[in-house]
Amino acid sequence: MYDRLFSPIQIRGLELKNRVVLPAMGTRMAGEKGEITPRLVAYHAARAAGGCGLNIVEVAAVHTPSAPAHFVSISDDSLIGGHKKLTDAIHQSGGKAAIQLWQGSIATTFDPRAEMLVVNDMEFAGKKLKAITTDRIQEIVECYGKAAARCAEAGYDCLEFHCAHNYLPHSFLSGGLNHRTDEYGGSFENRSRFPLECIRAIRNAIPEEMPLFMRIDAHDDYLPGGLTIEEIIEFCRIAGENGVDVLDVSRGNIITAGSVYEVPPIDIPRGFNVENAARIRRETKMATIAVGRINTAEQAEAILEEDKADMVVMGRAQLADPEFCNKAREGRTEDIIHCVGCNQGCYDGFCDLRNRPFITCLRNPCLGHEEEWKLTKAETPKRVYIAGGGMAGLEAARVLLMRGHHPVIFEAGDRLGGQFITAGQAPGKEEMKQAAISFGRLVERSGAEVRFHTPLTPEIITEEKPDAVIAAVGSAPIELKLPGSEKKMVCQAHAVLEHEVEPEGSVCVIGGGLVGLEAADALAAAGHPVKVLEMKDTAGEDLGMLRKIAVMQKLGGESVGIITSARCLEIIETGVVVETPEGKETVACDSVVLAVGSASRDSSALKEASEKAGADFFVIGDAKRARRAIDAIAEGFETARQV
């Protein structure tokens, strides 16, 4: 299947077995000084073994003083040995290895000890930064050349020069970022000078047969005076003349809302950047990689068949399922666990320095633990009863089956997937709903017994005596105890998303978290005037940064009003009485939708029955504590791994 996607491609002296590229996604799996770790080796080896054509090792620092901790570095000869272990592992797993050469500019803020090199004098993160000097510019250019030579020695098959996303080369190239008045600023020719010097230094340091890729933004988003696609096309032509072979066409920068395009969440359309890549390819006549929410084999094949790109980046698709390529090539698409663009593990997890040492994935809790969490068959297969067929319960069942156990899912309703399906009812989130449905079918197809319309009861446990019980009964919406909340005009947000009720007229949504905002979106899309009332000083606190940008932009476009610091006092026939810093007022509406959070369902009776029956008992997911889906699924995996 997917003949075009899995056809070989030749670039200079390199032949790739297929057109799938694992891009250089930041992982924070490197060591304190940027050294390659066994964890990073196992992560890349798993994707190469999974059938990926080319693995690009992420944002490798070329300059030691500005290299942040736990980001890959190739800035010193002492690091070559570790990189050799990584390239060997990728090659032994059947793949090819590339590495992305990087100078991060303000992105080094992840490590306060790392220097920030900036194109102009500027203030950032509370620091006054001085523009990089011309002498220092030449030092960085030399560092690119030396790093490239190290990469060749370490066994990489090709290199990628990062000239996008607000990093130093892009900062020089973009007129929206570069305000210098010397020979490196002003005209397009001057702004191109530094990145072209870097390209030449790299090209001169590597063998003639080694390809050089370049990651480039298609244009600058939300950046006054920024790069246009016409300027990008012109720069790419010149870069090609100076030794670049392949254009990896991305979008985004880290100082504006354009950051939403770097790791685009579910709110951004799939393949949103493909047409830009197609135009750049057409006008430069250069080999091009399409990037941007390409997460199914069907979509990737269509892009190649329509001659819009030569290769496709499928990054988060392979975080969610490292066997993505093998499954697609073999026609086992129903077995693929698809990325849903939630951003909870790959981006939010990357930025969460306090709670997560490296990235993870909502759909693949094993990400970053490929070696130490290999699943083994249980010595004694057990009959395990799972109360609840939501995503946590399904993940537990999936892993139990892989380990040789016999899971039985007790689902009170008529479907598997739980609140993932409810969340997938919001506008633009059909992928999430379909992922839940597909996952339920996968678990059933794998051999799990499912009893629909059958909640697990203490009586069943007492009578059937399973070896273990996992309570994955989830949570229920909190009933707001507010005068007037019993009125007919009041309903719960979950009922709105599930299309069980249709509020009348104008609507006030009480609660500005994820569920409230998505209910507001659904109501606005259906034509209702909507206002959201949030007691905190900001709405969307439980959304990750990039999803929040996208959701708030969408609600703004739908004219949804958001009133923050609003304490709701009473629901009356004409609206909701609130108290704000400006005083008491009535927000007029015809209907009220409650979205004030969820509370765990009680599983104490199941626990008591399990203890009496001699069965091991576990509580996972929202049944333990209402949180994000990533935590629930991770607990399902971890519990099943240890049963």
Side-chain angles (χ1 to χ4, degrees):
M1 293 183 72
Y2 310 113
D3 293 341
R4 183 69 175 157
L5 185 62
F6 292 105
S7 65
I9 183 171
Q10 184 81 30
I11 310 160
R12 291 200 186 225
L14 173 65
E15 181 177 284
L16 301 177
K17 65 183 178 183
N18 61 48
R19 310 298 179 102
V20 181
V21 177
L22 181 77
M25 297 172 285
T27 64
R28 289 215 326 270
M29 293 183 194
E32 180 74 19
K33 296 182 179 179
E35 63 271 26
I36 300 299
T37 60
R39 186 182 309 281
L40 192 62
V41 172
Y43 157 79
H44 274 285
R47 273 96 201 146
C52 183
L54 179 66
N55 288 41
I56 306 181
V57 178
E58 68 269 15
V59 289
V62 300
H63 175 242
T64 300
S66 59
H70 303 295
F71 281 54
V72 172
S73 180
I74 188 67
S75 64
D76 189 85
D77 289 350
S78 64
L79 298 166
I80 295 172
H83 283 274
K84 186 69 168 65
K85 290 179 182 178
L86 177 54
T87 58
D88 284 347
I90 292 172
H91 293 150
Q92 288 163 11
S93 299
K96 298 293 184 181
I99 184 169
Q100 188 179 74
L101 300 182
W102 176 80
Q103 202 299 313
S105 188
I106 57 175
T108 62
T109 189
F110 278 99
D111 182 355
R113 296 168 297 181
E115 280 188 39
M116 280 192 207
L117 303 180
V118 293
V119 63
N120 315 298
D121 291 351
M122 65 182 294
E123 287 192 26
F124 182 78
K127 299 178 181 178
K128 290 186 177 182
L129 304 171
K130 299 296 291 182
I132 185 172
T133 65
T134 53
D135 285 345
R136 203 70 184 281
I137 289 170
Q138 290 309 306
E139 177 187 333
I140 300 301
V141 170
E142 291 175 13
C143 285
Y144 272 102
K146 291 176 180 177
R150 293 185 193 105
C151 294
E153 185 178 344
Y156 285 99
D157 301 290
C158 58
L159 307 183
E160 179 167 89
F161 170 58
H162 204 320
C163 193
H165 302 171
N166 239 137
Y167 304 137
L168 196 61
H170 174 230
S171 297
F172 271 82
L173 183 61
S174 173
L177 299 167
N178 184 345
H179 309 299
R180 297 175 75 99
T181 57
D182 62 5
E183 67 270 32
Y184 287 97
S187 68
F188 176 76
E189 180 183 6
N190 283 355
R191 288 185 278 114
S192 301
R193 193 182 307 277
F194 171 62
L196 289 174
E197 288 176 349
C198 295
I199 289 168
R200 287 192 289 269
I202 295 168
R203 184 75 263 172
N204 290 336
I206 60 178
E208 177 66 24
E209 68 274 11
M210 180 180 282
L212 176 57
F213 292 33
M214 178 172 68
R215 173 150 276 207
I216 193 80
D217 283 335
H219 56 78
D220 281 337
D221 291 281
Y222 306 104
L223 195 61
L227 289 161
T228 64
I229 193 168
E230 290 78 16
E231 286 181 303
I232 288 294
I233 289 167
E234 179 60 24
F235 178 74
C236 288
R237 287 191 184 117
I238 300 168
E241 293 168 359
N242 283 269
V244 168
D245 303 292
V246 179
L247 304 173
D248 185 359
V249 183
S250 186
R251 288 260 296 277
N253 61 78
I254 57 179
I255 61 169
T256 75
S259 59
V260 76
Y261 297 118
E262 290 191 38
V263 190
I266 192 171
D267 315 87
I268 306 299
R270 294 168 61 228
F272 67 94
N273 202 34
V274 170
E275 293 304 324
N276 287 325
R279 179 181 172 187
I280 291 169
R281 178 177 185 264
R282 187 168 60 248
E283 297 190 26
T284 63
K285 306 292 191 294
M286 294 176 69
T288 303
I289 306 174
V291 177
R293 290 251 298 134
I294 303 169
N295 60 6
T296 70
E298 292 83 357
Q299 180 190 10
E301 181 75 4
I303 291 166
L304 297 172
E305 281 288 343
E306 292 165 12
D307 210 27
K308 292 180 177 179
D310 300 277
M311 290 173 277
V312 289
V313 151
M314 304 191 80
R316 289 177 293 171
Q318 294 184 82
L319 297 187
D321 193 337
E323 285 287 317
F324 179 97
C325 291
N326 286 342
K327 291 177 181 178
R329 191 186 70 253
E330 295 163 8
R332 297 185 290 123
T333 53
E334 289 185 348
D335 293 340
I336 293 173
I337 296 175
H338 283 105
C339 166
V340 294
C342 71
N343 280 23
Q344 290 185 27
C346 57
Y347 185 82
D348 301 343
F350 179 85
C351 296
D352 187 5
L353 300 177
R354 289 178 297 179
N355 299 311
R356 297 193 187 276
F358 47 83
I359 65 167
T360 183
C361 177
L362 176 146
R363 305 230 57 203
N364 177 17
C366 201
L367 175 60
H369 300 280
E370 284 80 4
E371 191 61 38
E372 72 264 40
W373 285 4
K374 282 183 178 177
L375 296 176
T376 57
K377 291 290 184 181
E379 292 182 8
T380 305
K382 295 180 180 180
R383 190 165 176 81
V384 184
Y385 282 10
I386 302 171
M391 295 299 278
L394 288 173
E395 176 67 8
R398 182 187 74 87
V399 176
L400 288 168
L401 286 164
M402 293 178 70
R403 298 194 57 228
H405 293 300
H406 306 291
V408 181
I409 299 173
F410 291 79
E411 172 51 50
D414 60 357
R415 71 188 189 191
L416 299 173
Q419 291 191 30
F420 229 62
I421 291 185
T422 303
Q425 305 285 19
K429 294 183 69 180
E430 177 69 16
E431 285 172 76
M432 192 165 282
K433 176 181 175 180
Q434 291 305 318
I437 293 170
S438 175
F439 194 39
R441 290 172 180 163
L442 170 64
V443 171
E444 284 192 271
R445 198 166 58 249
S446 299
E449 179 185 342
V450 181
R451 301 184 193 178
F452 289 107
H453 303 290
T454 309
L456 182 61
T457 63
E459 291 74 20
I460 292 174
I461 294 171
T462 300
E463 181 179 342
E464 300 188 14
K465 292 184 170 48
D467 298 301
V469 173
I470 298 175
V473 293
S475 60
I478 293 171
E479 296 289 341
L480 183 65
K481 292 178 170 52
L482 191 70
S485 59
E486 76 288 348
K487 293 181 184 294
K488 193 181 244 186
M489 65 191 288
V490 181
C491 65
Q492 286 284 350
H494 285 74
V496 171
L497 290 170
E498 289 282 7
H499 307 291
E500 295 170 357
V501 298
E502 178 66 36
E504 296 181 357
S506 60
V507 183
C508 275
V509 177
I510 299 179
L514 170 61
V515 174
L517 294 178
E518 293 192 334
D521 181 15
L523 290 163
H528 296 274
V530 182
K531 290 183 179 176
V532 176
L533 309 176
E534 170 56 50
M535 67 183 298
K536 295 180 180 178
D537 59 6
T538 183
E541 278 195 355
D542 54 345
L543 279 84
M545 185 179 79
L546 300 186
R547 278 223 67 211
K548 185 174 180 179
I549 290 171
V551 168
M552 291 304 186
Q553 285 181 339
K554 187 176 185 184
L555 294 179
E558 294 171 331
S559 299
V560 172
I562 299 178
I563 303 172
T564 56
S565 302
R567 188 167 66 92
C568 296
L569 303 177
E570 184 180 5
I571 300 171
I572 59 177
E573 294 297 330
T574 56
V576 182
V577 180
V578 301
E579 186 174 50
T580 70
E582 287 73 42
K584 191 181 292 186
E585 64 173 299
T586 298
V587 182
C589 64
D590 301 304
S591 301
V592 177
V593 172
L594 304 179
V596 293
S598 298
S600 300
R601 290 191 172 98
D602 183 19
S603 58
S604 58
L606 298 180
K607 179 180 180 182
E608 183 178 347
S610 298
E611 289 173 348
K612 287 181 179 178
D616 296 329
F617 182 78
F618 308 90
V619 183
I620 63 173
D622 281 4
K624 186 175 183 179
R625 180 165 55 88
R627 288 155 296 156
R628 305 179 88 187
I630 190 170
D631 302 302
I633 294 171
E635 286 176 0
F637 176 91
E638 181 61 21
T639 298
R641 191 172 73 87
Q642 296 184 14
V643 167

